[in-house]
Amino acid sequence: MTLPQGRRSSTFTRLLRHGFTDPSAAERLLDDPALSAVRSDPLLLDALGATADPDLALLGLVRLVEGQEDDLSRRELLDTLVTAKPLRDRLLGVLGASEALADHLARHPRDWRALVTYESADLHPGVEEFERGLADATDPVSLRVSYRRCLLAIAARDVCGTTDVAETAAELADLATATLRAALAMARAAAPGDAAQCRLSVIAMGKCGGHELNYVSDVDVIFVAEPADGADEDKALRAATRLASHMMRICSETNVEGTIWPVDANLRPEGRNGPLVRTLSSHLAYYQRWAKTWEFQALLKARPVAGDLELGEEYVATLAPLVWHAAERENFVTDVQKMRRRVVENIPAGEVERELKLGPGGLRDVEFAVQMLQLVHGRSDPSIRSGSTLEALHALGEGGYVGRVDAVQLDDAYRFLRSLEHRIQLYKLRRTHLVPEGDADLRRIGRSLGMRTEPITDLNRAWKRHTSVVRRLHEKLFYRPLLDAVAQLAPGEARLSTEAARERLVALGYADPSAALRHLEALASGVSRKAAIQRTLLPVLLGWFADSADPDAGLLGFRKVSDALGKTPWYLRLLRDEGAAAENLARVLSAGRLAPDLLLRAPEAVALLGDQRGLEPRGRAHLEQEILAAVRRADGAEQAVTAARGVRRRELFRTAAGDLIGSYGTEDSPAEADPGALVDRVGTAVSDLTAATLAGTLRAVVREGWGDTLPTRFAVIGMGRFGGHELGYGSDADVLFVHQPREGADEQEATKAAAKVISEMRRLLQIPSADPPLLIDADLRPEGRSGPLVRTLKSYEAYYRRWSLVWESQALLRAEPVAGDEELSRAFIELVDPLRYPAEGLGEDAIREIRRLKARMEAERMPRGADPTLHTKLGRGGLSDVEWTVQLLQLEHAWAEPGLRTTRTREALAAACAAELIPAQDAAILDEAWVLATRVRNAVMLVRGRAGDTFPSDGRELAAVGRYLGYDAGHVGDMLDDYRRITRRARAVVEERFYGAS
């Protein structure tokens, strides 16, 4: 029938007002003969308008009415729909929220009657009620039909607000329990012989075990079995495996009624590689010996649900003590946090912002934080052991393990995010955790959550607000109560007990939790602005400290820096307002001894940490300019050198801090991907700094003793790593001294003056003070320690012409002027070039001599008891191996290859490769070993505060070296294995390229 235009317009408007997005289509559906009896009933239109998607609800209703068997059934449905408000709200609510359940009702039109009952037991059914609902199922097909009929009732209570999100999740878990029991019963009935041989228990894990299941989710399980009385264990396990496999197929396989959900047993010991079913003793043996931290975390949710429940309870009771001692495992917190980060990293980049479960600020952040706290404190407090996230969060708040305000905010956020997840999955009953992008989907979801005015805008705003809360709180959640434990709280406010705070600090890796609590109390107590800002910063800082190898040192260092600078307004402002400064400070303070020692001698250097550019090393010209200006202003040589050493200390801190932060990475910038770049940066920076310090010291000594002009021209030549721009943090400055008496000056007096300059430079650079000393080593001079400390250029010429040995030519490969008279420096380099780059290369005798010297050094200079596979300087494939191999190439070929005329090892190796003097693969192997050995030496100095050529023996120091080199906590064994492997390969190249072995 065609309606008049005026009436059509009126209906069209009414439909728009009731929330229909396609009024024309809705009009056609309302005109369907199936709805003729109720078309004009105003209650129907109001009820449709109250649904999440009125268009979808109306379409589903028409399909349901049309699907009724006869007129009598159709009339019964429509009469009940009009007269019974509970049914009307439930049925239309489901039809407006779930296309999948509308499809089910269209296929099974009698199932609408499941929504009619409104008894008290129907409001909150449990496992028994669901078992009755599934009782008629006799095969996998009928089980699916019965399952969806029960699901229909759960969804109806959910969308109508009869149950909240926690109750809905519990009902879904109870329905899953009943379904697993029904499926196992079918499997047992199909194989009574197998059933008679074994006791099989099904342990629910994950969200099903925690009584907080989604609409569509894998149901995680673990199987445990024992032989029945008199049965053989192997046969019983095979029988139990067949039963378990059949049960899984009944639930998971797709038939004409689709699937229920996948049953996932991958949380079992050894995952997919392990047996599907184990005995209890086999489970126990695995968890005692092999289980990783995450596996104990997963067991928090373990709950027996089907099969032999007595065996299941025994399983849970047997493993519980292991679960509640998991927090005592080394690197517990780090392991949990690392796994969380790995989950986020595996999300496709285009989905991160829409990922509701796994993304930052998502459901998993709340769950991980709660589970971590449960594992730490559940051993001593059974009240927080619930498998339910919301119940556990409430108990943690009540017990003071989480701040009450934080607990309430996280509870609200978690409930919202789970509700959003439910509505997303309910639409098509598909397993997804991605927030849809389409306006129609967002509108339906927003309306289903009660947002009727601006559903899309309001939904996005609420979603972002709640994820922001979770992001802000989930990591601080672990640390903030530690401050409350030592702070003044409002009356009645719960706090961590001292023992609970110690437990948490031990779990975080603190070796001395009592001292840590004292530091926290000193930092956070009081009503001053300083204390207030530090209370805000400390929860974040504690997390960064815990992510290091030495949290105790980090916290102690922060207290010392704050004690020194806390009254300066710029310091607290820097940490509060410069996002990178606080994290950079935490990384530097907890990474070892050297950088904190340098910082604590002059805490104002913390200002360098606020700007990434502040951590970039300054060039030699800039450093020399600053140091020479300080020397000019100083009143005497001692004061001048003190100023120069102060600059050196500050710049060493700058270099060390930049190196540490580049090696560790931060939340905003990843670690430096090229370790060679880090090595070159440190080597150049420390070498330039040493050269500038020597130049300033030389200027100060000459000015004090002789005014502007020394009676002899004087130059300092860098040797060894200094000349090669490869100094490490703990390196001495290897040098040669050369002078040339000025015209008319007495040579003997000039030599005395030069010797006095050297003596005074050494003294001033080693005076005990707050600044690290700079040791000058001149042992590479002609005749070594037996020869004069300084020579004239003519003396060097005479010596090299008459007495020079091949090792001295090799040492001169590194000679480079670093301070003093430039003209004299150039003359010295012109003198030694023919020695270090001999025309036509080396003769066979010289090559044999170099090899003999190297072999002798390996045999005689290795420290007694040192592991030659781990000694970075003299060990197999270490620095000496690589450098002597490169230097032999230079001595043989630099006369013909200008690229080899460099003092830098890596540069010379690259030049040799470019000249095809060494294969690219061999060059890469040598370069990798040299860079690694150099980084290990730098790491040892950074961690221990003193130089060393071997890995530390102390476990915590070794772990800190590992963190610097990019190894996660608990992987020092991998680090040592990698070092041995890389240097073993380098030694093989050395044997061939240096020793000539085929």
Side-chain angles (χ1 to χ4, degrees), residues 123-128 130 154 157-158 163-178 207-215 303 305 388 390-391 415 418 422:
L123 293 178
H124 301 291
V127 177
E128 290 183 10
F130 288 123
I154 293 175
R157 287 187 292 273
D158 181 14
T163 53
D164 66 16
V165 65
E167 292 168 328
T168 299
E171 289 183 17
L172 289 166
D174 286 341
L175 176 56
T177 297
K207 282 188 161 52
C208 184
H211 225 222
E212 51 187 15
L213 197 60
N214 302 331
Y215 276 103
R303 180 172 65 94
V305 292
S388 161
L390 288 173
E391 289 180 7
R415 287 176 183 273
R418 284 302 303 273
H422 279 185

mmCIF file of all heavy atoms in Angstrom, residues 123-128 130 154 157-158 163-178 207-215 303 305 388 390-391 415 418 422:
data_model
loop_
_atom_site.group_PDB
_atom_site.id
_atom_site.type_symbol
_atom_site.label_atom_id
_atom_site.label_comp_id
_atom_site.label_asym_id
_atom_site.label_seq_id
_atom_site.Cartn_x
_atom_site.Cartn_y
_atom_site.Cartn_z
ATOM 1 N N LEU A 123 18.369 -14.323 36.275
ATOM 2 C CA LEU A 123 19.100 -13.051 36.261
ATOM 3 C C LEU A 123 20.601 -13.273 36.365
ATOM 4 O O LEU A 123 21.380 -12.550 35.752
ATOM 5 C CB LEU A 123 18.617 -12.156 37.404
ATOM 6 C CG LEU A 123 17.177 -11.651 37.281
ATOM 7 C CD1 LEU A 123 16.815 -10.818 38.500
ATOM 8 C CD2 LEU A 123 17.009 -10.833 36.011
ATOM 9 N N HIS A 124 21.016 -14.273 37.155
ATOM 10 C CA HIS A 124 22.447 -14.512 37.356
ATOM 11 C C HIS A 124 22.720 -16.010 37.346
ATOM 12 O O HIS A 124 23.033 -16.596 38.381
ATOM 13 C CB HIS A 124 22.922 -13.880 38.665
ATOM 14 C CG HIS A 124 22.697 -12.406 38.728
ATOM 15 N ND1 HIS A 124 23.400 -11.516 37.942
ATOM 16 C CD2 HIS A 124 21.840 -11.665 39.452
ATOM 17 C CE1 HIS A 124 22.990 -10.281 38.193
ATOM 18 N NE2 HIS A 124 22.030 -10.345 39.108
ATOM 19 N N PRO A 125 22.609 -16.631 36.192
ATOM 20 C CA PRO A 125 22.819 -18.080 36.131
ATOM 21 C C PRO A 125 24.281 -18.438 36.364
ATOM 22 O O PRO A 125 25.187 -17.646 36.102
ATOM 23 C CB PRO A 125 22.385 -18.435 34.712
ATOM 24 C CG PRO A 125 22.612 -17.177 33.933
ATOM 25 C CD PRO A 125 22.313 -16.057 34.877
ATOM 26 N N GLY A 126 24.492 -19.673 36.832
ATOM 27 C CA GLY A 126 25.845 -20.186 37.024
ATOM 28 C C GLY A 126 26.060 -21.413 36.183
ATOM 29 O O GLY A 126 25.304 -21.707 35.252
ATOM 30 N N VAL A 127 27.101 -22.177 36.531
ATOM 31 C CA VAL A 127 27.461 -23.347 35.727
ATOM 32 C C VAL A 127 26.320 -24.349 35.676
ATOM 33 O O VAL A 127 26.021 -24.913 34.605
ATOM 34 C CB VAL A 127 28.745 -23.994 36.296
ATOM 35 C CG1 VAL A 127 29.080 -25.258 35.517
ATOM 36 C CG2 VAL A 127 29.918 -23.025 36.231
ATOM 37 N N GLU A 128 25.648 -24.576 36.815
ATOM 38 C CA GLU A 128 24.567 -25.575 36.835
ATOM 39 C C GLU A 128 23.443 -25.191 35.879
ATOM 40 O O GLU A 128 22.920 -26.036 35.138
ATOM 41 C CB GLU A 128 24.019 -25.727 38.256
ATOM 42 C CG GLU A 128 24.993 -26.397 39.218
ATOM 43 C CD GLU A 128 24.374 -26.592 40.596
ATOM 44 O OE1 GLU A 128 23.151 -26.377 40.728
ATOM 45 O OE2 GLU A 128 25.115 -26.967 41.516
ATOM 46 N N PHE A 130 23.661 -23.337 33.223
ATOM 47 C CA PHE A 130 24.117 -23.495 31.843
ATOM 48 C C PHE A 130 24.217 -24.979 31.461
ATOM 49 O O PHE A 130 23.955 -25.338 30.304
ATOM 50 C CB PHE A 130 25.458 -22.784 31.635
ATOM 51 C CG PHE A 130 25.352 -21.283 31.629
ATOM 52 C CD1 PHE A 130 26.084 -20.511 32.511
ATOM 53 C CD2 PHE A 130 24.504 -20.653 30.745
ATOM 54 C CE1 PHE A 130 25.987 -19.128 32.510
ATOM 55 C CE2 PHE A 130 24.394 -19.261 30.729
ATOM 56 C CZ PHE A 130 25.126 -18.502 31.627
ATOM 57 N N ILE A 154 22.652 -14.424 27.764
ATOM 58 C CA ILE A 154 23.721 -13.623 28.372
ATOM 59 C C ILE A 154 23.783 -12.247 27.717
ATOM 60 O O ILE A 154 23.865 -11.211 28.389
ATOM 61 C CB ILE A 154 25.080 -14.344 28.231
ATOM 62 C CG1 ILE A 154 25.102 -15.624 29.075
ATOM 63 C CG2 ILE A 154 26.228 -13.417 28.654
ATOM 64 C CD1 ILE A 154 26.362 -16.461 28.884
ATOM 65 N N ARG A 157 20.888 -9.964 28.812
ATOM 66 C CA ARG A 157 21.105 -9.344 30.130
ATOM 67 C C ARG A 157 22.163 -8.247 30.050
ATOM 68 O O ARG A 157 22.075 -7.225 30.720
ATOM 69 C CB ARG A 157 21.519 -10.418 31.148
ATOM 70 C CG ARG A 157 20.388 -11.333 31.579
ATOM 71 C CD ARG A 157 20.817 -12.269 32.705
ATOM 72 N NE ARG A 157 21.806 -13.266 32.263
ATOM 73 C CZ ARG A 157 21.494 -14.436 31.723
ATOM 74 N NH1 ARG A 157 20.222 -14.747 31.522
ATOM 75 N NH2 ARG A 157 22.434 -15.289 31.360
ATOM 76 N N ASP A 158 23.165 -8.465 29.222
ATOM 77 C CA ASP A 158 24.254 -7.499 29.073
ATOM 78 C C ASP A 158 23.756 -6.192 28.451
ATOM 79 O O ASP A 158 23.925 -5.103 29.024
ATOM 80 C CB ASP A 158 25.353 -8.127 28.218
ATOM 81 C CG ASP A 158 26.551 -7.207 28.007
ATOM 82 O OD1 ASP A 158 26.668 -6.199 28.727
ATOM 83 O OD2 ASP A 158 27.364 -7.507 27.109
ATOM 84 N N THR A 163 23.064 -7.099 33.901
ATOM 85 C CA THR A 163 24.358 -7.492 34.468
ATOM 86 C C THR A 163 25.402 -6.462 34.048
ATOM 87 O O THR A 163 25.307 -5.869 32.973
ATOM 88 C CB THR A 163 24.794 -8.877 33.944
ATOM 89 O OG1 THR A 163 24.762 -8.877 32.521
ATOM 90 C CG2 THR A 163 23.881 -9.968 34.470
ATOM 91 N N ASP A 164 26.401 -6.278 34.909
ATOM 92 C CA ASP A 164 27.498 -5.376 34.524
ATOM 93 C C ASP A 164 28.571 -6.177 33.786
ATOM 94 O O ASP A 164 28.447 -7.394 33.586
ATOM 95 C CB ASP A 164 28.064 -4.644 35.740
ATOM 96 C CG ASP A 164 28.750 -5.572 36.742
ATOM 97 O OD1 ASP A 164 29.073 -6.731 36.391
ATOM 98 O OD2 ASP A 164 28.967 -5.143 37.891
ATOM 99 N N VAL A 165 29.629 -5.510 33.390
ATOM 100 C CA VAL A 165 30.617 -6.160 32.534
ATOM 101 C C VAL A 165 31.307 -7.316 33.255
ATOM 102 O O VAL A 165 31.600 -8.356 32.641
ATOM 103 C CB VAL A 165 31.658 -5.132 32.033
ATOM 104 C CG1 VAL A 165 32.487 -4.562 33.177
ATOM 105 C CG2 VAL A 165 32.572 -5.745 30.976
ATOM 106 N N ALA A 166 31.546 -7.183 34.564
ATOM 107 C CA ALA A 166 32.197 -8.264 35.294
ATOM 108 C C ALA A 166 31.282 -9.476 35.392
ATOM 109 O O ALA A 166 31.724 -10.624 35.250
ATOM 110 C CB ALA A 166 32.613 -7.778 36.684
ATOM 111 N N GLU A 167 29.997 -9.244 35.655
ATOM 112 C CA GLU A 167 29.044 -10.354 35.744
ATOM 113 C C GLU A 167 28.871 -11.020 34.389
ATOM 114 O O GLU A 167 28.765 -12.251 34.287
ATOM 115 C CB GLU A 167 27.702 -9.845 36.265
ATOM 116 C CG GLU A 167 27.747 -9.397 37.725
ATOM 117 C CD GLU A 167 26.499 -8.639 38.153
ATOM 118 O OE1 GLU A 167 25.916 -7.937 37.301
ATOM 119 O OE2 GLU A 167 26.132 -8.741 39.334
ATOM 120 N N THR A 168 28.837 -10.224 33.316
ATOM 121 C CA THR A 168 28.725 -10.799 31.970
ATOM 122 C C THR A 168 29.930 -11.682 31.670
ATOM 123 O O THR A 168 29.791 -12.803 31.154
ATOM 124 C CB THR A 168 28.626 -9.676 30.925
ATOM 125 O OG1 THR A 168 27.462 -8.894 31.188
ATOM 126 C CG2 THR A 168 28.554 -10.248 29.522
ATOM 127 N N ALA A 169 31.140 -11.183 31.986
ATOM 128 C CA ALA A 169 32.350 -11.965 31.736
ATOM 129 C C ALA A 169 32.343 -13.250 32.551
ATOM 130 O O ALA A 169 32.772 -14.312 32.067
ATOM 131 C CB ALA A 169 33.582 -11.126 32.076
ATOM 132 N N ALA A 170 31.834 -13.189 33.788
ATOM 133 C CA ALA A 170 31.752 -14.393 34.622
ATOM 134 C C ALA A 170 30.755 -15.389 34.040
ATOM 135 O O ALA A 170 30.996 -16.606 34.029
ATOM 136 C CB ALA A 170 31.360 -14.006 36.045
ATOM 137 N N GLU A 171 29.616 -14.890 33.551
ATOM 138 C CA GLU A 171 28.639 -15.778 32.933
ATOM 139 C C GLU A 171 29.207 -16.447 31.693
ATOM 140 O O GLU A 171 28.987 -17.641 31.439
ATOM 141 C CB GLU A 171 27.368 -15.004 32.579
ATOM 142 C CG GLU A 171 26.538 -14.596 33.796
ATOM 143 C CD GLU A 171 25.249 -13.900 33.402
ATOM 144 O OE1 GLU A 171 24.848 -14.014 32.228
ATOM 145 O OE2 GLU A 171 24.633 -13.265 34.263
ATOM 146 N N LEU A 172 29.935 -15.696 30.885
ATOM 147 C CA LEU A 172 30.556 -16.274 29.697
ATOM 148 C C LEU A 172 31.553 -17.366 30.078
ATOM 149 O O LEU A 172 31.647 -18.396 29.400
ATOM 150 C CB LEU A 172 31.252 -15.182 28.878
ATOM 151 C CG LEU A 172 30.305 -14.203 28.168
ATOM 152 C CD1 LEU A 172 31.080 -12.976 27.690
ATOM 153 C CD2 LEU A 172 29.610 -14.883 26.985
ATOM 154 N N ALA A 173 32.300 -17.150 31.174
ATOM 155 C CA ALA A 173 33.234 -18.172 31.647
ATOM 156 C C ALA A 173 32.488 -19.396 32.162
ATOM 157 O O ALA A 173 32.909 -20.545 31.937
ATOM 158 C CB ALA A 173 34.137 -17.591 32.740
ATOM 159 N N ASP A 174 31.367 -19.174 32.853
ATOM 160 C CA ASP A 174 30.568 -20.309 33.340
ATOM 161 C C ASP A 174 29.958 -21.087 32.179
ATOM 162 O O ASP A 174 29.882 -22.318 32.213
ATOM 163 C CB ASP A 174 29.468 -19.805 34.278
ATOM 164 C CG ASP A 174 30.008 -19.397 35.641
ATOM 165 O OD1 ASP A 174 31.128 -19.826 35.979
ATOM 166 O OD2 ASP A 174 29.315 -18.647 36.357
ATOM 167 N N LEU A 175 29.500 -20.385 31.147
ATOM 168 C CA LEU A 175 28.978 -21.068 29.971
ATOM 169 C C LEU A 175 30.085 -21.872 29.295
ATOM 170 O O LEU A 175 29.856 -23.000 28.826
ATOM 171 C CB LEU A 175 28.374 -20.056 28.988
ATOM 172 C CG LEU A 175 27.878 -20.618 27.649
ATOM 173 C CD1 LEU A 175 26.850 -21.720 27.864
ATOM 174 C CD2 LEU A 175 27.302 -19.497 26.783
ATOM 175 N N ALA A 176 31.295 -21.322 29.239
ATOM 176 C CA ALA A 176 32.426 -22.054 28.670
ATOM 177 C C ALA A 176 32.717 -23.305 29.491
ATOM 178 O O ALA A 176 33.012 -24.377 28.944
ATOM 179 C CB ALA A 176 33.652 -21.148 28.612
ATOM 180 N N THR A 177 32.641 -23.188 30.814
ATOM 181 C CA THR A 177 32.851 -24.347 31.681
ATOM 182 C C THR A 177 31.835 -25.438 31.375
ATOM 183 O O THR A 177 32.183 -26.619 31.206
ATOM 184 C CB THR A 177 32.744 -23.922 33.156
ATOM 185 O OG1 THR A 177 33.796 -22.986 33.440
ATOM 186 C CG2 THR A 177 32.859 -25.117 34.084
ATOM 187 N N ALA A 178 30.560 -25.049 31.302
ATOM 188 C CA ALA A 178 29.511 -26.028 31.001
ATOM 189 C C ALA A 178 29.728 -26.653 29.630
ATOM 190 O O ALA A 178 29.493 -27.861 29.424
ATOM 191 C CB ALA A 178 28.141 -25.350 31.075
ATOM 192 N N LYS A 207 41.574 -15.978 30.475
ATOM 193 C CA LYS A 207 40.351 -15.288 30.888
ATOM 194 C C LYS A 207 39.270 -16.265 31.347
ATOM 195 O O LYS A 207 38.453 -15.927 32.198
ATOM 196 C CB LYS A 207 39.836 -14.411 29.745
ATOM 197 C CG LYS A 207 40.617 -13.098 29.615
ATOM 198 C CD LYS A 207 39.976 -12.171 28.620
ATOM 199 C CE LYS A 207 40.448 -10.731 28.820
ATOM 200 N NZ LYS A 207 41.897 -10.595 28.851
ATOM 201 N N CYS A 208 39.234 -17.460 30.779
ATOM 202 C CA CYS A 208 38.258 -18.442 31.252
ATOM 203 C C CYS A 208 38.602 -18.859 32.677
ATOM 204 O O CYS A 208 37.728 -18.914 33.548
ATOM 205 C CB CYS A 208 38.233 -19.653 30.324
ATOM 206 S SG CYS A 208 36.969 -20.871 30.752
ATOM 207 N N GLY A 209 39.882 -19.127 32.930
ATOM 208 C CA GLY A 209 40.289 -19.488 34.280
ATOM 209 C C GLY A 209 40.071 -18.361 35.265
ATOM 210 O O GLY A 209 39.727 -18.595 36.427
ATOM 211 N N GLY A 210 40.224 -17.138 34.803
ATOM 212 C CA GLY A 210 40.043 -15.982 35.678
ATOM 213 C C GLY A 210 38.600 -15.551 35.828
ATOM 214 O O GLY A 210 38.309 -14.544 36.477
ATOM 215 N N HIS A 211 37.673 -16.297 35.217
ATOM 216 C CA HIS A 211 36.241 -16.003 35.344
ATOM 217 C C HIS A 211 35.915 -14.648 34.736
ATOM 218 O O HIS A 211 35.093 -13.890 35.262
ATOM 219 C CB HIS A 211 35.822 -16.043 36.826
ATOM 220 C CG HIS A 211 34.552 -16.797 37.058
ATOM 221 N ND1 HIS A 211 33.570 -16.381 37.914
ATOM 222 C CD2 HIS A 211 34.100 -17.960 36.520
ATOM 223 C CE1 HIS A 211 32.579 -17.246 37.906
ATOM 224 N NE2 HIS A 211 32.875 -18.226 37.067
ATOM 225 N N GLU A 212 36.545 -14.345 33.585
ATOM 226 C CA GLU A 212 36.365 -13.033 32.961
ATOM 227 C C GLU A 212 36.491 -13.154 31.441
ATOM 228 O O GLU A 212 37.219 -12.414 30.805
ATOM 229 C CB GLU A 212 37.381 -12.024 33.526
ATOM 230 C CG GLU A 212 38.829 -12.506 33.490
ATOM 231 C CD GLU A 212 39.789 -11.574 34.191
ATOM 232 O OE1 GLU A 212 39.338 -10.700 34.960
ATOM 233 O OE2 GLU A 212 41.009 -11.719 33.994
ATOM 234 N N LEU A 213 35.713 -14.056 30.872
ATOM 235 C CA LEU A 213 35.839 -14.388 29.459
ATOM 236 C C LEU A 213 35.152 -13.349 28.574
ATOM 237 O O LEU A 213 34.221 -12.671 28.992
ATOM 238 C CB LEU A 213 35.223 -15.769 29.210
ATOM 239 C CG LEU A 213 35.595 -16.488 27.913
ATOM 240 C CD1 LEU A 213 37.095 -16.738 27.834
ATOM 241 C CD2 LEU A 213 34.843 -17.821 27.813
ATOM 242 N N ASN A 214 35.625 -13.244 27.327
ATOM 243 C CA ASN A 214 34.990 -12.392 26.321
ATOM 244 C C ASN A 214 33.877 -13.165 25.612
ATOM 245 O O ASN A 214 33.741 -14.374 25.747
ATOM 246 C CB ASN A 214 36.007 -11.968 25.254
ATOM 247 C CG ASN A 214 37.180 -11.237 25.839
ATOM 248 O OD1 ASN A 214 37.064 -10.579 26.859
ATOM 249 N ND2 ASN A 214 38.330 -11.366 25.196
ATOM 250 N N TYR A 215 33.133 -12.452 24.763
ATOM 251 C CA TYR A 215 32.130 -13.127 23.931
ATOM 252 C C TYR A 215 32.792 -14.116 22.975
ATOM 253 O O TYR A 215 32.290 -15.218 22.756
ATOM 254 C CB TYR A 215 31.318 -12.104 23.135
ATOM 255 C CG TYR A 215 30.182 -11.523 23.922
ATOM 256 C CD1 TYR A 215 30.264 -10.252 24.467
ATOM 257 C CD2 TYR A 215 29.021 -12.253 24.149
ATOM 258 C CE1 TYR A 215 29.221 -9.702 25.198
ATOM 259 C CE2 TYR A 215 27.963 -11.729 24.882
ATOM 260 C CZ TYR A 215 28.074 -10.454 25.406
ATOM 261 O OH TYR A 215 27.035 -9.931 26.140
ATOM 262 N N ARG A 303 42.336 -22.788 36.953
ATOM 263 C CA ARG A 303 41.113 -23.175 37.677
ATOM 264 C C ARG A 303 40.561 -24.457 37.058
ATOM 265 O O ARG A 303 40.304 -24.505 35.855
ATOM 266 C CB ARG A 303 40.091 -22.041 37.549
ATOM 267 C CG ARG A 303 38.766 -22.287 38.238
ATOM 268 C CD ARG A 303 37.913 -21.021 38.210
ATOM 269 N NE ARG A 303 37.522 -20.617 36.871
ATOM 270 C CZ ARG A 303 36.365 -20.963 36.286
ATOM 271 N NH1 ARG A 303 35.484 -21.713 36.925
ATOM 272 N NH2 ARG A 303 36.081 -20.542 35.054
ATOM 273 N N VAL A 305 37.986 -26.974 35.707
ATOM 274 C CA VAL A 305 36.625 -26.711 35.241
ATOM 275 C C VAL A 305 35.903 -27.941 34.731
ATOM 276 O O VAL A 305 34.665 -27.953 34.686
ATOM 277 C CB VAL A 305 36.619 -25.644 34.126
ATOM 278 C CG1 VAL A 305 37.018 -24.277 34.665
ATOM 279 C CG2 VAL A 305 37.521 -26.048 32.956
ATOM 280 N N SER A 388 40.479 -13.183 38.998
ATOM 281 C CA SER A 388 39.772 -12.097 38.324
ATOM 282 C C SER A 388 40.545 -10.799 38.460
ATOM 283 O O SER A 388 40.935 -10.403 39.561
ATOM 284 C CB SER A 388 38.378 -11.927 38.930
ATOM 285 O OG SER A 388 37.847 -10.660 38.639
ATOM 286 N N LEU A 390 39.548 -7.654 38.119
ATOM 287 C CA LEU A 390 38.849 -6.624 38.889
ATOM 288 C C LEU A 390 38.810 -6.967 40.377
ATOM 289 O O LEU A 390 38.990 -6.086 41.224
ATOM 290 C CB LEU A 390 37.437 -6.427 38.340
ATOM 291 C CG LEU A 390 37.369 -5.724 36.983
ATOM 292 C CD1 LEU A 390 35.950 -5.737 36.447
ATOM 293 C CD2 LEU A 390 37.874 -4.277 37.088
ATOM 294 N N GLU A 391 38.583 -8.229 40.696
ATOM 295 C CA GLU A 391 38.596 -8.614 42.111
ATOM 296 C C GLU A 391 39.987 -8.426 42.708
ATOM 297 O O GLU A 391 40.129 -7.942 43.838
ATOM 298 C CB GLU A 391 38.154 -10.071 42.261
ATOM 299 C CG GLU A 391 36.678 -10.304 42.003
ATOM 300 C CD GLU A 391 36.295 -11.777 42.163
ATOM 301 O OE1 GLU A 391 37.157 -12.570 42.610
ATOM 302 O OE2 GLU A 391 35.153 -12.124 41.825
ATOM 303 N N ARG A 415 36.818 -1.513 33.248
ATOM 304 C CA ARG A 415 35.417 -1.841 32.964
ATOM 305 C C ARG A 415 34.973 -1.232 31.627
ATOM 306 O O ARG A 415 34.286 -1.878 30.834
ATOM 307 C CB ARG A 415 34.520 -1.342 34.100
ATOM 308 C CG ARG A 415 34.627 -2.173 35.377
ATOM 309 C CD ARG A 415 33.803 -1.572 36.502
ATOM 310 N NE ARG A 415 33.974 -2.322 37.727
ATOM 311 C CZ ARG A 415 33.253 -3.399 38.067
ATOM 312 N NH1 ARG A 415 32.291 -3.828 37.245
ATOM 313 N NH2 ARG A 415 33.477 -4.039 39.187
ATOM 314 N N ARG A 418 36.696 -3.186 28.746
ATOM 315 C CA ARG A 418 36.100 -4.512 28.560
ATOM 316 C C ARG A 418 34.698 -4.403 27.960
ATOM 317 O O ARG A 418 34.307 -5.214 27.112
ATOM 318 C CB ARG A 418 36.034 -5.261 29.902
ATOM 319 C CG ARG A 418 37.352 -5.830 30.395
ATOM 320 C CD ARG A 418 38.005 -6.807 29.434
ATOM 321 N NE ARG A 418 37.182 -7.934 29.079
ATOM 322 C CZ ARG A 418 37.101 -9.084 29.763
ATOM 323 N NH1 ARG A 418 37.829 -9.240 30.864
ATOM 324 N NH2 ARG A 418 36.330 -10.073 29.352
ATOM 325 N N HIS A 422 33.522 -6.069 24.521
ATOM 326 C CA HIS A 422 32.333 -6.920 24.408
ATOM 327 C C HIS A 422 31.436 -6.463 23.267
ATOM 328 O O HIS A 422 30.951 -7.263 22.462
ATOM 329 C CB HIS A 422 31.563 -6.898 25.724
ATOM 330 C CG HIS A 422 32.135 -7.816 26.755
ATOM 331 N ND1 HIS A 422 31.543 -8.020 27.979
ATOM 332 C CD2 HIS A 422 33.249 -8.586 26.753
ATOM 333 C CE1 HIS A 422 32.262 -8.872 28.677
ATOM 334 N NE2 HIS A 422 33.306 -9.223 27.963
#
